[in-house]
Amino acid sequence: MEGYDSCVEDVTPTRSLAVRLIQAAEQLKADFATSIAPSGLSVPAARALLMLDEPLPMRTLSDRLACNQSYITRIADELESQGLVKREPGKDRRMQILTLTPSGDRTRAAVLSAALTGDRVQQRLSAADQKALGRLLGRLSGD
Amino acid sequence: MEGYDSCVEDVTPTRSLAVRLIQAAEQLKADFATSIAPSGLSVPAARALLMLDEPLPMRTLSDRLACNQSYITRIADELESQGLVKREPGKDRRMQILTLTPSGDRTRAAVLSAALTGDRVQQRLSAADQKALGRLLGRLSGD
DNA sequence: TATTGTTATACTCTATAACTATA
DNA sequence: TATAGTTATAGAGTATAACAATA
């Protein structure tokens, strides 16, 4: 559990929105970690697993997760050691294609279901609020 | 730069709000890191520095930053080695009171100013939008 | 030469455990 | 005995650099 709490907020009259948004995000991340805990996977591995709804080259995964390629090697090792994924050579022999095993497929479905079930955005926000939040986040991100 | 991108969102029809909120938070954190970079401080040390608008026992700091006391020792070491803070014994001799030096005071003002200037919530959101965001975050957090 | 993946290494943030001094 | 702070250690997440194989 992280704790990106007080900081600028104790200085400005009200706790800053930026800090509150960061705290909300930490909460969401903690929720995700809790919901995937039964899988025994690390958070990064669970995130990668969720992306594998189709076989993907490791390179594609590193692009989508916006992380270094070497880190994908690590994650693939974890997933493979759990028997959830296989590495298969692509037509371009430099590529390794990550493909879910049947067990990986089941685990992915379980993780996905748990993540959706534990999503407090869905739980606590009405449809209208969700729409409003989406709009605000769009403005924040630069459209 | 973290990268809490695709994950559940590539699976659900639209990228999930939870993931978008987390990404926005990462952006805010990155902004903060950028704005404090000139100070040469680590992010945790800068956060602690911002809280020291008055002398504070280390224990109070660990409460406010919601982190372990041992971590505060580390942060205090960094701040002290930069000459920004002094440890002074409290009336209760177990306590160490962290007090800003004149240099620490100036650095804190600079960091605060940079953080406020670089706050994209202020920059990109109207007053009404900020109010709406605050309301939504309140609902998300459980009120 | 440029790209994919791997290996080794290292860095940041943060916690736990054991300990000292004080209360 | 309970609390404040320190020290040593560890672990998670992630990156950089150097390298091999392939294109």
Side-chain angles (χ1 to χ4, degrees):
Chain A
M1 246 81 307
E2 302 223 325
Y4 214 97
D5 334 276
S6 331
C7 172
V8 176
E9 76 280 19
D10 270 293
V11 161
T12 44
T14 60
R15 190 154 57 174
S16 92
L17 274 176
V19 172
R20 291 215 287 148
L21 192 149
I22 289 169
Q23 289 178 320
E26 305 297 356
Q27 182 65 64
L28 260 20
K29 291 208 260 183
D31 288 348
F32 181 73
T34 299
S35 63
I36 65 153
S39 73
L41 292 171
S42 68
V43 165
R47 298 215 295 132
L49 187 66
L50 285 179
M51 301 203 41
L52 289 170
D53 60 326
E54 62 177 338
L56 252 30
M58 294 175 71
R59 181 59 215 257
T60 302
L61 216 43
S62 73
D63 285 343
R64 300 215 183 145
L65 290 172
C67 70
N68 196 275
Q69 281 179 262
S70 70
Y71 192 42
I72 296 298
T73 295
R74 200 172 275 272
I75 290 172
D77 288 347
E78 175 179 347
L79 257 13
E80 198 172 46
S81 75
Q82 302 300 313
L84 304 176
V85 127
K86 278 173 313 190
R87 275 179 239 236
E88 293 177 336
K91 52 288 167 197
D92 180 336
R93 306 304 269 276
R94 289 173 301 183
M95 291 191 198
Q96 300 276 30
I97 313 293
L98 296 184
T99 308
L100 292 186
T101 62
S103 163
D105 210 58
R106 287 192 299 276
T107 301
R108 179 175 175 282
V111 164
L112 177 57
S113 162
L116 294 176
T117 299
D119 183 353
R120 78 169 56 206
V121 173
Q122 302 298 323
Q123 291 170 348
R124 319 266 268 236
L125 258 36
S126 69
D129 279 349
Q130 289 182 37
K131 195 173 167 191
L133 179 58
R135 188 176 49 79
L136 292 170
L137 291 177
R139 291 189 185 170
L140 250 193
S141 301
D143 305 302
Chain B
M1 241 81 307
E2 302 223 329
Y4 215 99
D5 334 279
S6 332
C7 173
V8 177
E9 76 279 17
D10 271 292
V11 162
T12 44
T14 60
R15 190 154 57 174
S16 91
L17 274 176
V19 172
R20 292 214 289 147
L21 191 149
I22 289 170
Q23 289 179 320
E26 304 297 355
Q27 182 65 65
L28 259 20
K29 290 207 261 183
D31 288 348
F32 182 72
T34 299
S35 65
I36 66 153
S39 74
L41 292 171
S42 69
V43 165
R47 297 215 297 134
L49 187 66
L50 286 179
M51 301 204 42
L52 288 170
D53 60 325
E54 62 177 337
L56 251 31
M58 296 175 70
R59 180 59 215 257
T60 302
L61 216 42
S62 73
D63 285 344
R64 299 215 183 147
L65 291 173
C67 70
N68 196 275
Q69 281 180 263
S70 71
Y71 192 43
I72 295 297
T73 295
R74 199 173 277 272
I75 291 173
D77 287 347
E78 176 180 345
L79 257 14
E80 197 171 48
S81 75
Q82 301 299 313
L84 303 177
V85 126
K86 277 174 312 188
R87 275 180 238 237
E88 293 177 337
K91 52 292 169 196
D92 180 336
R93 306 302 270 276
R94 289 172 302 183
M95 292 192 198
Q96 299 278 32
I97 313 294
L98 296 185
T99 309
L100 293 186
T101 63
S103 165
D105 209 59
R106 287 191 300 276
T107 301
R108 179 176 175 281
V111 163
L112 177 57
S113 163
L116 293 176
T117 300
D119 183 352
R120 79 169 55 207
V121 173
Q122 302 298 321
Q123 291 170 350
R124 318 266 268 237
L125 260 33
S126 69
D129 279 349
Q130 289 182 37
K131 194 173 167 191
L133 180 58
R135 188 177 48 79
L136 292 170
L137 292 177
R139 289 189 187 170
L140 250 193
S141 300
D143 306 301

